[in-house]
Amino acid sequence: MSDAPLFVDGLDAGTLYRLFSGAIAPRPIAWVATVDASGRANLAPFSFFNVASVDPPILAFSPLINGEGAAKDTIHNLDEVAECVVHIGGEALAEALNATSASLPRGEEEFAHAGLTKAPLGDLRVPRIEEAPVAFGCRVREVIRFGDRPMAGNLVLAEVTVIHADAAVWNGRHLDIETLRPIGRLAGADYSRCTDRFALTRPA
C-alpha cells in the first residue's frame, strides 16, 4: 500500500464521502424537523453536525445535495420557513431515526412514517418529536451553500431559542448519558454506542 498523498483533485465525490464518513467518526446525529410554507412537516437525520457556538447558542449541520444534484426537503423547507428543531434521539429511538432517512415523496410526513408524535415547542411553527428526550428549537441564522454539484453541502447555522430536555436526562446541571444513551454515525450502515468510555484529566 502506497503512502503517497491523495490529492483531492484526483478523487471523485463518492471516494471523498467514504473517506470522510469512515475517518471522521463517530459523528453525532442531528434529527432535524422542518416545515414547508403549507405547514407540512419533514424529519431527517444528518450526521454532519456539531455545536458551532455557545454564546450565541448555534448548532451547525450540513445536508448534502444528493447524487442526482437535488437538494434535500430540509433545505427547501428552511428556505420557506427559517426554523427547525434539532433532536437528540438516543438509542431507544434508533429504529425510528433510521426510518426517517427514507426517501419519501415531498410532502409525505416522516413523523407518520416512523410512528412518531408531534408536540409544540415554544412559539415555533415546527413541531418537535414528543418521544425524543432532547430537542433544540432554532431559528436559522445563515445557510452557507457550497455549490449545486452532487454531494455539495449546505451548512445550516441555526440559533437555539428554546430547549426541551426531559427530566429523566437533565437535572438542570448535568445530562445523564446512561439514560440518554446517545448514538453516533459511522460509515455505511454502522452506528456506535457510548458504552465504552474513558476519562483524561485536562492539563492545567
Side-chain angles (χ1 to χ4, degrees), residues 116-134:
L116 296 165
T117 310
K118 295 178 186 176
L121 184 58
D123 61 355
L124 297 177
R125 292 174 61 182
V126 181
R128 70 174 177 89
I129 303 168
E130 185 173 354
E131 293 85 354
V134 179

Side-chain angles (χ1 to χ4, degrees), residues 16-27 47-48 185-188:
L16 281 169
Y17 179 82
R18 289 190 294 274
L19 272 168
F20 286 166
S21 61
I24 304 168
R27 300 181 303 282
S47 68
F48 290 9
R185 194 73 172 86
L186 303 173

Side-chain angles (χ1 to χ4, degrees), residues 158-199:
E159 186 163 354
V160 179
T161 62
V162 59
I163 300 170
H164 165 81
D166 285 357
V169 299
W170 172 246
N171 66 8
R173 182 171 174 80
H174 296 291
L175 192 137
D176 184 349
I177 197 169
E178 301 293 346
T179 301
L180 178 61
R181 293 186 297 154
I183 56 175
R185 194 73 172 86
L186 303 173
D190 292 340
Y191 292 76
S192 65
R193 297 182 173 95
C194 292
T195 53
D196 185 7
R197 302 187 298 275
F198 64 95

Side-chain angles (χ1 to χ4, degrees), residues 45-195:
F46 300 100
S47 68
F48 290 9
F49 162 58
N50 220 306
V51 177
S53 174
V54 174
D55 187 11
I58 296 174
L59 304 180
F61 65 94
S62 184
L64 300 182
I65 293 174
N66 69 19
E68 286 71 52
K72 303 278 190 180
D73 288 347
T74 297
I75 290 296
H76 290 303
N77 287 357
L78 291 175
D79 287 339
E80 297 178 12
V81 179
E83 300 176 355
C84 62
V85 179
V86 178
H87 304 83
I88 307 299
E91 189 178 345
L93 292 171
E95 292 290 343
L97 181 146
N98 186 51
T100 63
S101 67
S103 298
L104 303 181
R106 181 159 169 76
E108 185 174 335
E109 293 198 359
E110 289 80 4
F111 276 88
H113 177 74
L116 296 165
T117 310
K118 295 178 186 176
L121 184 58
D123 61 355
L124 297 177
R125 292 174 61 182
V126 181
R128 70 174 177 89
I129 303 168
E130 185 173 354
E131 293 85 354
V134 179
F136 301 101
C138 307
R139 300 192 190 280
V140 175
R141 189 177 177 112
E142 186 177 0
V143 179
I144 302 172
R145 303 169 197 264
F146 298 110
D148 56 6
R149 293 186 297 185
M151 307 299 284
N154 298 273
L155 181 62
V156 179
L157 299 175
E159 186 163 354
V160 179
T161 62
V162 59
I163 300 170
H164 165 81
D166 285 357
V169 299
W170 172 246
N171 66 8
R173 182 171 174 80
H174 296 291
L175 192 137
D176 184 349
I177 197 169
E178 301 293 346
T179 301
L180 178 61
R181 293 186 297 154
I183 56 175
R185 194 73 172 86
L186 303 173
D190 292 340
Y191 292 76
S192 65
R193 297 182 173 95
C194 292
T195 53

